[in-house]
Each structure stands twice: as structure tokens, then as C-alpha cells.
mmCIF file of all heavy atoms in Angstrom:
data_model
loop_
_atom_site.group_PDB
_atom_site.id
_atom_site.type_symbol
_atom_site.label_atom_id
_atom_site.label_comp_id
_atom_site.label_asym_id
_atom_site.label_seq_id
_atom_site.Cartn_x
_atom_site.Cartn_y
_atom_site.Cartn_z
ATOM 1 N N ALA A 1 7.827 -11.057 3.491
ATOM 2 C CA ALA A 1 6.666 -11.813 3.037
ATOM 3 C C ALA A 1 7.059 -13.288 2.965
ATOM 4 O O ALA A 1 8.237 -13.631 3.113
ATOM 5 C CB ALA A 1 6.229 -11.302 1.672
ATOM 6 N N PRO A 2 6.103 -14.187 2.740
ATOM 7 C CA PRO A 2 6.448 -15.612 2.665
ATOM 8 C C PRO A 2 7.502 -15.956 1.618
ATOM 9 O O PRO A 2 8.194 -16.968 1.751
ATOM 10 C CB PRO A 2 5.103 -16.267 2.334
ATOM 11 C CG PRO A 2 4.093 -15.360 2.951
ATOM 12 C CD PRO A 2 4.638 -13.989 2.752
ATOM 13 N N ASP A 3 7.653 -15.119 0.579
ATOM 14 C CA ASP A 3 8.661 -15.406 -0.446
ATOM 15 C C ASP A 3 10.053 -14.893 -0.065
ATOM 16 O O ASP A 3 10.999 -15.013 -0.840
ATOM 17 C CB ASP A 3 8.240 -14.825 -1.791
ATOM 18 C CG ASP A 3 8.130 -13.297 -1.779
ATOM 19 O OD1 ASP A 3 8.411 -12.676 -0.739
ATOM 20 O OD2 ASP A 3 7.744 -12.734 -2.817
ATOM 21 N N GLY A 4 10.176 -14.306 1.137
ATOM 22 C CA GLY A 4 11.480 -13.852 1.615
ATOM 23 C C GLY A 4 11.821 -12.416 1.292
ATOM 24 O O GLY A 4 12.844 -11.909 1.758
ATOM 25 N N THR A 5 10.999 -11.726 0.501
ATOM 26 C CA THR A 5 11.255 -10.332 0.165
ATOM 27 C C THR A 5 10.587 -9.422 1.195
ATOM 28 O O THR A 5 9.509 -9.726 1.708
ATOM 29 C CB THR A 5 10.733 -9.991 -1.241
ATOM 30 O OG1 THR A 5 9.311 -10.215 -1.285
ATOM 31 C CG2 THR A 5 11.407 -10.855 -2.282
ATOM 32 N N ARG A 6 11.205 -8.287 1.468
ATOM 33 C CA ARG A 6 10.679 -7.364 2.476
ATOM 34 C C ARG A 6 9.690 -6.394 1.803
ATOM 35 O O ARG A 6 10.003 -5.234 1.552
ATOM 36 C CB ARG A 6 11.811 -6.609 3.163
ATOM 37 C CG ARG A 6 12.772 -7.516 3.911
ATOM 38 C CD ARG A 6 13.786 -6.719 4.707
ATOM 39 N NE ARG A 6 13.178 -6.006 5.824
ATOM 40 C CZ ARG A 6 12.964 -6.533 7.025
ATOM 41 N NH1 ARG A 6 13.287 -7.788 7.276
ATOM 42 N NH2 ARG A 6 12.416 -5.810 7.987
ATOM 43 N N ARG A 7 8.518 -6.923 1.516
ATOM 44 C CA ARG A 7 7.500 -6.141 0.815
ATOM 45 C C ARG A 7 6.201 -6.006 1.610
ATOM 46 O O ARG A 7 5.190 -5.570 1.088
ATOM 47 C CB ARG A 7 7.220 -6.754 -0.557
ATOM 48 C CG ARG A 7 6.805 -8.209 -0.505
ATOM 49 C CD ARG A 7 6.556 -8.769 -1.907
ATOM 50 N NE ARG A 7 6.186 -10.174 -1.879
ATOM 51 C CZ ARG A 7 4.972 -10.639 -1.592
ATOM 52 N NH1 ARG A 7 3.990 -9.797 -1.309
ATOM 53 N NH2 ARG A 7 4.722 -11.937 -1.591
ATOM 54 N N TRP A 8 6.220 -6.423 2.880
ATOM 55 C CA TRP A 8 5.088 -6.219 3.770
ATOM 56 C C TRP A 8 5.423 -5.081 4.728
ATOM 57 O O TRP A 8 6.574 -4.950 5.171
ATOM 58 C CB TRP A 8 4.771 -7.478 4.570
ATOM 59 C CG TRP A 8 4.083 -8.559 3.792
ATOM 60 C CD1 TRP A 8 3.956 -8.653 2.436
ATOM 61 C CD2 TRP A 8 3.453 -9.720 4.333
ATOM 62 N NE1 TRP A 8 3.281 -9.790 2.099
ATOM 63 C CE2 TRP A 8 2.955 -10.466 3.230
ATOM 64 C CE3 TRP A 8 3.250 -10.202 5.622
ATOM 65 C CZ2 TRP A 8 2.267 -11.676 3.408
ATOM 66 C CZ3 TRP A 8 2.564 -11.398 5.795
ATOM 67 C CH2 TRP A 8 2.083 -12.120 4.705
ATOM 68 N N ILE A 9 4.430 -4.261 5.038
ATOM 69 C CA ILE A 9 4.608 -3.150 5.978
ATOM 70 C C ILE A 9 3.785 -3.443 7.229
ATOM 71 O O ILE A 9 2.590 -3.757 7.137
ATOM 72 C CB ILE A 9 4.154 -1.815 5.370
ATOM 73 C CG1 ILE A 9 4.762 -1.599 3.980
ATOM 74 C CG2 ILE A 9 4.538 -0.649 6.287
ATOM 75 C CD1 ILE A 9 4.201 -0.398 3.256
ATOM 76 N N THR A 10 4.413 -3.342 8.387
ATOM 77 C CA THR A 10 3.727 -3.575 9.657
ATOM 78 C C THR A 10 3.887 -2.369 10.565
ATOM 79 O O THR A 10 4.673 -1.463 10.302
ATOM 80 C CB THR A 10 4.286 -4.821 10.363
ATOM 81 O OG1 THR A 10 5.693 -4.626 10.627
ATOM 82 C CG2 THR A 10 4.113 -6.063 9.504
ATOM 83 N N GLU A 11 3.114 -2.383 11.634
ATOM 84 C CA GLU A 11 3.160 -1.324 12.650
ATOM 85 C C GLU A 11 2.856 0.043 12.044
ATOM 86 O O GLU A 11 3.498 1.037 12.361
ATOM 87 C CB GLU A 11 4.520 -1.317 13.357
ATOM 88 C CG GLU A 11 4.836 -2.633 14.060
ATOM 89 C CD GLU A 11 6.211 -2.659 14.696
ATOM 90 O OE1 GLU A 11 6.841 -1.585 14.810
ATOM 91 O OE2 GLU A 11 6.664 -3.751 15.069
ATOM 92 N N VAL A 12 1.860 0.077 11.163
ATOM 93 C CA VAL A 12 1.405 1.344 10.581
ATOM 94 C C VAL A 12 0.381 1.947 11.537
ATOM 95 O O VAL A 12 -0.711 1.390 11.689
ATOM 96 C CB VAL A 12 0.766 1.135 9.195
ATOM 97 C CG1 VAL A 12 0.306 2.470 8.627
ATOM 98 C CG2 VAL A 12 1.732 0.443 8.256
ATOM 99 N N PRO A 13 0.680 3.062 12.206
ATOM 100 C CA PRO A 13 -0.264 3.640 13.157
ATOM 101 C C PRO A 13 -1.613 3.957 12.494
ATOM 102 O O PRO A 13 -1.670 4.625 11.467
ATOM 103 C CB PRO A 13 0.437 4.922 13.623
ATOM 104 C CG PRO A 13 1.896 4.645 13.413
ATOM 105 C CD PRO A 13 1.956 3.814 12.163
ATOM 106 N N GLY A 14 -2.683 3.447 13.070
ATOM 107 C CA GLY A 14 -4.025 3.734 12.579
ATOM 108 C C GLY A 14 -4.531 2.809 11.502
ATOM 109 O O GLY A 14 -5.731 2.808 11.202
ATOM 110 N N LEU A 15 -3.661 2.030 10.862
ATOM 111 C CA LEU A 15 -4.106 1.129 9.804
ATOM 112 C C LEU A 15 -5.035 0.074 10.396
ATOM 113 O O LEU A 15 -4.663 -0.612 11.347
ATOM 114 C CB LEU A 15 -2.903 0.450 9.139
ATOM 115 C CG LEU A 15 -3.224 -0.446 7.936
ATOM 116 C CD1 LEU A 15 -3.566 0.415 6.719
ATOM 117 C CD2 LEU A 15 -2.046 -1.369 7.615
ATOM 118 N N PRO A 16 -6.243 -0.085 9.840
ATOM 119 C CA PRO A 16 -7.201 -1.026 10.438
ATOM 120 C C PRO A 16 -7.006 -2.469 9.992
ATOM 121 O O PRO A 16 -7.915 -3.282 10.150
ATOM 122 C CB PRO A 16 -8.551 -0.467 9.952
ATOM 123 C CG PRO A 16 -8.246 0.127 8.627
ATOM 124 C CD PRO A 16 -6.855 0.702 8.751
ATOM 125 N N PHE A 17 -5.860 -2.786 9.427
ATOM 126 C CA PHE A 17 -5.550 -4.140 8.992
ATOM 127 C C PHE A 17 -4.218 -4.560 9.604
ATOM 128 O O PHE A 17 -3.428 -3.726 10.033
ATOM 129 C CB PHE A 17 -5.486 -4.205 7.459
ATOM 130 C CG PHE A 17 -6.667 -3.573 6.782
ATOM 131 C CD1 PHE A 17 -6.548 -2.330 6.167
ATOM 132 C CD2 PHE A 17 -7.904 -4.193 6.799
ATOM 133 C CE1 PHE A 17 -7.634 -1.726 5.574
ATOM 134 C CE2 PHE A 17 -9.008 -3.594 6.200
ATOM 135 C CZ PHE A 17 -8.877 -2.362 5.588
ATOM 136 N N ASP A 18 -3.954 -5.868 9.622
ATOM 137 C CA ASP A 18 -2.731 -6.355 10.271
ATOM 138 C C ASP A 18 -1.486 -5.879 9.540
ATOM 139 O O ASP A 18 -0.495 -5.501 10.177
ATOM 140 C CB ASP A 18 -2.735 -7.886 10.310
ATOM 141 C CG ASP A 18 -3.875 -8.450 11.156
ATOM 142 O OD1 ASP A 18 -4.246 -7.798 12.153
ATOM 143 O OD2 ASP A 18 -4.401 -9.525 10.802
ATOM 144 N N VAL A 19 -1.506 -5.933 8.222
ATOM 145 C CA VAL A 19 -0.333 -5.547 7.437
ATOM 146 C C VAL A 19 -0.781 -4.820 6.178
ATOM 147 O O VAL A 19 -1.953 -4.843 5.794
ATOM 148 C CB VAL A 19 0.531 -6.764 7.032
ATOM 149 C CG1 VAL A 19 1.055 -7.491 8.248
ATOM 150 C CG2 VAL A 19 -0.249 -7.716 6.139
ATOM 151 N N TRP A 20 0.180 -4.184 5.531
ATOM 152 C CA TRP A 20 -0.004 -3.572 4.224
ATOM 153 C C TRP A 20 0.931 -4.328 3.286
ATOM 154 O O TRP A 20 2.151 -4.288 3.443
ATOM 155 C CB TRP A 20 0.359 -2.095 4.306
ATOM 156 C CG TRP A 20 0.046 -1.271 3.092
ATOM 157 C CD1 TRP A 20 -0.215 -1.717 1.836
ATOM 158 C CD2 TRP A 20 -0.037 0.156 3.030
ATOM 159 N NE1 TRP A 20 -0.458 -0.658 0.985
ATOM 160 C CE2 TRP A 20 -0.358 0.499 1.704
ATOM 161 C CE3 TRP A 20 0.131 1.160 3.968
ATOM 162 C CZ2 TRP A 20 -0.500 1.815 1.291
ATOM 163 C CZ3 TRP A 20 -0.017 2.473 3.570
ATOM 164 C CH2 TRP A 20 -0.331 2.811 2.248
ATOM 165 N N LYS A 21 0.361 -5.062 2.343
ATOM 166 C CA LYS A 21 1.157 -5.904 1.452
ATOM 167 C C LYS A 21 1.372 -5.223 0.106
ATOM 168 O O LYS A 21 0.426 -4.698 -0.489
ATOM 169 C CB LYS A 21 0.453 -7.239 1.183
ATOM 170 C CG LYS A 21 0.188 -8.100 2.387
ATOM 171 C CD LYS A 21 -0.551 -9.356 1.940
ATOM 172 C CE LYS A 21 -0.901 -10.265 3.096
ATOM 173 N NZ LYS A 21 -1.646 -11.469 2.640
ATOM 174 N N MET A 22 2.593 -5.258 -0.388
ATOM 175 C CA MET A 22 2.886 -4.916 -1.766
ATOM 176 C C MET A 22 3.142 -6.222 -2.516
ATOM 177 O O MET A 22 3.936 -7.058 -2.051
ATOM 178 C CB MET A 22 4.109 -4.005 -1.863
ATOM 179 C CG MET A 22 3.980 -2.707 -1.063
ATOM 180 S SD MET A 22 2.601 -1.675 -1.607
ATOM 181 C CE MET A 22 2.682 -0.344 -0.393
ATOM 182 N N VAL A 23 2.450 -6.407 -3.619
ATOM 183 C CA VAL A 23 2.563 -7.638 -4.396
ATOM 184 C C VAL A 23 3.203 -7.319 -5.741
ATOM 185 O O VAL A 23 2.729 -6.439 -6.466
ATOM 186 C CB VAL A 23 1.185 -8.291 -4.604
ATOM 187 C CG1 VAL A 23 1.301 -9.520 -5.506
ATOM 188 C CG2 VAL A 23 0.577 -8.675 -3.263
ATOM 189 N N ALA A 24 4.278 -8.029 -6.069
ATOM 190 C CA ALA A 24 4.996 -7.770 -7.318
ATOM 191 C C ALA A 24 4.187 -8.246 -8.522
ATOM 192 O O ALA A 24 3.718 -9.381 -8.563
ATOM 193 C CB ALA A 24 6.348 -8.463 -7.286
ATOM 194 N N VAL A 25 4.017 -7.364 -9.495
ATOM 195 C CA VAL A 25 3.354 -7.685 -10.762
ATOM 196 C C VAL A 25 4.210 -7.136 -11.899
ATOM 197 O O VAL A 25 4.952 -6.172 -11.713
ATOM 198 C CB VAL A 25 1.930 -7.081 -10.838
ATOM 199 C CG1 VAL A 25 1.025 -7.682 -9.765
ATOM 200 C CG2 VAL A 25 1.979 -5.566 -10.699
ATOM 201 N N PRO A 26 4.126 -7.724 -13.095
ATOM 202 C CA PRO A 26 4.987 -7.269 -14.192
ATOM 203 C C PRO A 26 4.446 -6.086 -14.967
ATOM 204 O O PRO A 26 5.179 -5.445 -15.720
ATOM 205 C CB PRO A 26 5.064 -8.509 -15.089
ATOM 206 C CG PRO A 26 3.745 -9.187 -14.876
ATOM 207 C CD PRO A 26 3.396 -8.957 -13.428
ATOM 208 N N ASP A 27 3.159 -5.779 -14.798
ATOM 209 C CA ASP A 27 2.524 -4.764 -15.643
ATOM 210 C C ASP A 27 2.331 -3.453 -14.903
ATOM 211 O O ASP A 27 2.053 -3.424 -13.713
ATOM 212 C CB ASP A 27 1.167 -5.261 -16.150
ATOM 213 C CG ASP A 27 0.262 -5.695 -15.007
ATOM 214 O OD1 ASP A 27 0.709 -6.505 -14.170
ATOM 215 O OD2 ASP A 27 -0.888 -5.215 -14.923
ATOM 216 N N ASP A 28 2.492 -2.343 -15.638
ATOM 217 C CA ASP A 28 2.238 -1.019 -15.082
ATOM 218 C C ASP A 28 0.740 -0.729 -15.044
ATOM 219 O O ASP A 28 -0.062 -1.378 -15.719
ATOM 220 C CB ASP A 28 2.938 0.046 -15.936
ATOM 221 C CG ASP A 28 4.444 0.045 -15.735
ATOM 222 O OD1 ASP A 28 4.873 -0.027 -14.572
ATOM 223 O OD2 ASP A 28 5.171 0.102 -16.739
ATOM 224 N N ARG A 29 0.389 0.267 -14.270
ATOM 225 C CA ARG A 29 -1.006 0.711 -14.221
ATOM 226 C C ARG A 29 -1.422 1.278 -15.568
ATOM 227 O O ARG A 29 -0.631 1.891 -16.266
ATOM 228 C CB ARG A 29 -1.171 1.814 -13.159
ATOM 229 C CG ARG A 29 -1.079 1.331 -11.740
ATOM 230 C CD ARG A 29 -1.092 2.478 -10.732
ATOM 231 N NE ARG A 29 -1.120 3.777 -11.344
ATOM 232 C CZ ARG A 29 -2.157 4.626 -11.293
ATOM 233 N NH1 ARG A 29 -3.252 4.305 -10.661
ATOM 234 N NH2 ARG A 29 -2.101 5.798 -11.863
ATOM 235 N N THR A 30 -2.700 1.085 -15.904
ATOM 236 C CA THR A 30 -3.223 1.638 -17.155
ATOM 237 C C THR A 30 -4.365 2.627 -16.922
ATOM 238 O O THR A 30 -4.637 3.458 -17.776
ATOM 239 C CB THR A 30 -3.726 0.520 -18.081
ATOM 240 O OG1 THR A 30 -4.729 -0.255 -17.392
ATOM 241 C CG2 THR A 30 -2.581 -0.400 -18.487
ATOM 242 N N VAL A 31 -5.033 2.544 -15.774
ATOM 243 C CA VAL A 31 -6.128 3.451 -15.459
ATOM 244 C C VAL A 31 -6.002 3.884 -14.007
ATOM 245 O O VAL A 31 -5.258 3.295 -13.220
ATOM 246 C CB VAL A 31 -7.511 2.777 -15.683
ATOM 247 C CG1 VAL A 31 -7.697 2.377 -17.134
ATOM 248 C CG2 VAL A 31 -7.688 1.574 -14.761
ATOM 249 N N LYS A 32 -6.742 4.905 -13.660
ATOM 250 C CA LYS A 32 -6.772 5.390 -12.275
ATOM 251 C C LYS A 32 -7.271 4.291 -11.343
ATOM 252 O O LYS A 32 -8.208 3.566 -11.661
ATOM 253 C CB LYS A 32 -7.698 6.613 -12.190
ATOM 254 C CG LYS A 32 -7.971 7.137 -10.787
ATOM 255 C CD LYS A 32 -8.919 8.331 -10.859
ATOM 256 C CE LYS A 32 -9.327 8.827 -9.477
ATOM 257 N NZ LYS A 32 -10.223 7.856 -8.791
ATOM 258 N N ASN A 33 -6.632 4.151 -10.181
ATOM 259 C CA ASN A 33 -7.093 3.172 -9.199
ATOM 260 C C ASN A 33 -8.499 3.519 -8.708
ATOM 261 O O ASN A 33 -8.784 4.687 -8.416
ATOM 262 C CB ASN A 33 -6.155 3.137 -7.988
ATOM 263 C CG ASN A 33 -4.814 2.505 -8.302
ATOM 264 O OD1 ASN A 33 -4.651 1.853 -9.326
ATOM 265 N ND2 ASN A 33 -3.854 2.686 -7.407
ATOM 266 N N ARG A 34 -9.361 2.520 -8.587
ATOM 267 C CA ARG A 34 -10.688 2.754 -8.021
ATOM 268 C C ARG A 34 -10.659 2.748 -6.490
ATOM 269 O O ARG A 34 -11.603 3.216 -5.854
ATOM 270 C CB ARG A 34 -11.683 1.719 -8.543
ATOM 271 C CG ARG A 34 -12.029 1.917 -10.011
ATOM 272 C CD ARG A 34 -13.076 0.947 -10.491
ATOM 273 N NE ARG A 34 -14.416 1.234 -10.024
ATOM 274 C CZ ARG A 34 -15.253 2.107 -10.594
ATOM 275 N NH1 ARG A 34 -14.867 2.827 -11.640
ATOM 276 N NH2 ARG A 34 -16.463 2.285 -10.122
ATOM 277 N N TRP A 35 -9.612 2.202 -5.908
ATOM 278 C CA TRP A 35 -9.416 2.263 -4.460
ATOM 279 C C TRP A 35 -8.146 3.072 -4.195
ATOM 280 O O TRP A 35 -7.121 2.859 -4.848
ATOM 281 C CB TRP A 35 -9.246 0.857 -3.878
ATOM 282 C CG TRP A 35 -10.495 0.030 -3.853
ATOM 283 C CD1 TRP A 35 -11.168 -0.464 -4.937
ATOM 284 C CD2 TRP A 35 -11.210 -0.410 -2.697
ATOM 285 N NE1 TRP A 35 -12.257 -1.183 -4.517
ATOM 286 C CE2 TRP A 35 -12.311 -1.174 -3.156
ATOM 287 C CE3 TRP A 35 -11.028 -0.246 -1.324
ATOM 288 C CZ2 TRP A 35 -13.222 -1.769 -2.291
ATOM 289 C CZ3 TRP A 35 -11.939 -0.844 -0.453
ATOM 290 C CH2 TRP A 35 -13.017 -1.589 -0.930
ATOM 291 N N HIS A 36 -8.218 3.988 -3.250
ATOM 292 C CA HIS A 36 -7.023 4.720 -2.846
ATOM 293 C C HIS A 36 -7.119 5.017 -1.358
ATOM 294 O O HIS A 36 -8.116 4.704 -0.710
ATOM 295 C CB HIS A 36 -6.853 6.023 -3.654
ATOM 296 C CG HIS A 36 -7.803 7.124 -3.275
ATOM 297 N ND1 HIS A 36 -9.030 7.302 -3.867
ATOM 298 C CD2 HIS A 36 -7.707 8.118 -2.346
ATOM 299 C CE1 HIS A 36 -9.644 8.340 -3.336
ATOM 300 N NE2 HIS A 36 -8.856 8.857 -2.401
ATOM 301 N N TRP A 37 -6.093 5.601 -0.801
ATOM 302 C CA TRP A 37 -6.065 5.903 0.619
ATOM 303 C C TRP A 37 -5.741 7.368 0.829
ATOM 304 O O TRP A 37 -5.171 8.038 -0.027
ATOM 305 C CB TRP A 37 -5.052 5.017 1.349
ATOM 306 C CG TRP A 37 -3.702 5.005 0.728
ATOM 307 C CD1 TRP A 37 -2.637 5.815 1.009
ATOM 308 C CD2 TRP A 37 -3.264 4.144 -0.341
ATOM 309 N NE1 TRP A 37 -1.569 5.516 0.195
ATOM 310 C CE2 TRP A 37 -1.925 4.493 -0.644
ATOM 311 C CE3 TRP A 37 -3.874 3.122 -1.067
ATOM 312 C CZ2 TRP A 37 -1.191 3.857 -1.633
ATOM 313 C CZ3 TRP A 37 -3.141 2.488 -2.059
ATOM 314 C CH2 TRP A 37 -1.821 2.844 -2.332
ATOM 315 N N ASP A 38 -6.129 7.865 1.995
ATOM 316 C CA ASP A 38 -5.848 9.239 2.408
ATOM 317 C C ASP A 38 -4.867 9.218 3.569
ATOM 318 O O ASP A 38 -4.883 8.302 4.396
ATOM 319 C CB ASP A 38 -7.123 9.959 2.865
ATOM 320 C CG ASP A 38 -8.151 10.123 1.757
ATOM 321 O OD1 ASP A 38 -7.769 10.091 0.574
ATOM 322 O OD2 ASP A 38 -9.342 10.294 2.086
ATOM 323 N N VAL A 39 -4.039 10.249 3.637
ATOM 324 C CA VAL A 39 -3.127 10.412 4.757
ATOM 325 C C VAL A 39 -3.275 11.828 5.305
ATOM 326 O O VAL A 39 -3.811 12.720 4.644
ATOM 327 C CB VAL A 39 -1.656 10.159 4.353
ATOM 328 C CG1 VAL A 39 -1.471 8.741 3.830
ATOM 329 C CG2 VAL A 39 -1.181 11.190 3.337
ATOM 330 N N VAL A 40 -2.798 12.014 6.510
ATOM 331 C CA VAL A 40 -2.686 13.347 7.103
ATOM 332 C C VAL A 40 -1.233 13.766 6.992
ATOM 333 O O VAL A 40 -0.331 13.033 7.418
ATOM 334 C CB VAL A 40 -3.136 13.346 8.578
ATOM 335 C CG1 VAL A 40 -2.920 14.732 9.194
ATOM 336 C CG2 VAL A 40 -4.594 12.934 8.695
ATOM 337 N N CYS A 41 -0.998 14.922 6.393
ATOM 338 C CA CYS A 41 0.382 15.377 6.184
ATOM 339 C C CYS A 41 0.403 16.894 6.074
ATOM 340 O O CYS A 41 -0.350 17.475 5.294
ATOM 341 C CB CYS A 41 0.964 14.757 4.910
ATOM 342 S SG CYS A 41 2.636 15.307 4.519
ATOM 343 N N ASP A 42 1.284 17.527 6.846
ATOM 344 C CA ASP A 42 1.454 18.971 6.782
ATOM 345 C C ASP A 42 2.705 19.366 5.986
ATOM 346 O O ASP A 42 3.083 20.533 5.971
ATOM 347 C CB ASP A 42 1.555 19.557 8.190
ATOM 348 C CG ASP A 42 0.201 19.582 8.888
ATOM 349 O OD1 ASP A 42 -0.814 19.803 8.209
ATOM 350 O OD2 ASP A 42 0.169 19.362 10.120
ATOM 351 N N ASP A 43 3.336 18.400 5.346
ATOM 352 C CA ASP A 43 4.566 18.681 4.602
ATOM 353 C C ASP A 43 4.499 18.008 3.230
ATOM 354 O O ASP A 43 5.232 17.046 2.955
ATOM 355 C CB ASP A 43 5.781 18.181 5.399
ATOM 356 C CG ASP A 43 7.109 18.563 4.747
ATOM 357 O OD1 ASP A 43 7.092 19.361 3.779
ATOM 358 O OD2 ASP A 43 8.155 18.038 5.193
ATOM 359 N N VAL A 44 3.632 18.513 2.372
ATOM 360 C CA VAL A 44 3.531 17.967 1.023
ATOM 361 C C VAL A 44 4.853 18.123 0.258
ATOM 362 O O VAL A 44 5.263 17.208 -0.459
ATOM 363 C CB VAL A 44 2.354 18.603 0.265
ATOM 364 C CG1 VAL A 44 2.376 18.231 -1.216
ATOM 365 C CG2 VAL A 44 1.033 18.164 0.892
ATOM 366 N N PRO A 45 5.563 19.259 0.386
ATOM 367 C CA PRO A 45 6.872 19.345 -0.272
ATOM 368 C C PRO A 45 7.821 18.229 0.155
ATOM 369 O O PRO A 45 8.646 17.761 -0.633
ATOM 370 C CB PRO A 45 7.389 20.720 0.145
ATOM 371 C CG PRO A 45 6.149 21.519 0.359
ATOM 372 C CD PRO A 45 5.187 20.558 0.986
#
């Protein structure tokens, strides 16, 4: 990312955006996310 940390994800097959960014924050989640994503996976274990 621009700050020099490797927190951006690229070349995600099927992702309709250029990148997937993780942004560092100091606080933990307190409620269920209102936005989430689905994946296809045959190996949940």
C-alpha cells in the first residue's frame, strides 16, 4: 500500500474491483458487518 505495508491484495480471480484493501484500525468489531462477501469452497475444514 502507499504506506509501504503489504496490506493490499491483487490478482483476485473474479473480484470486480482493482484491489482488495485492508486498512489498519485500532478498534475491534462490535457488531455484525452489514457488508460481507461470499466465496465458493468445497473444503470448509
Side-chain angles (χ1 to χ4, degrees):
D3 63 2
T5 60
R6 298 187 68 86
R7 56 181 179 79
W8 285 14
I9 310 172
T10 60
E11 300 177 13
V12 180
L15 184 74
F17 311 105
D18 296 327
V19 299
W20 188 343
K21 299 178 182 179
M22 303 299 176
V23 176
V25 296
D27 55 308
D28 287 315
R29 288 174 357 112
T30 57
V31 298
K32 173 181 175 290
N33 289 345
R34 289 184 74 83
W35 288 68
H36 74 270
W37 51 92
D38 296 337
V39 300
V40 176
C41 177
D42 286 325
D43 186 9
V44 170

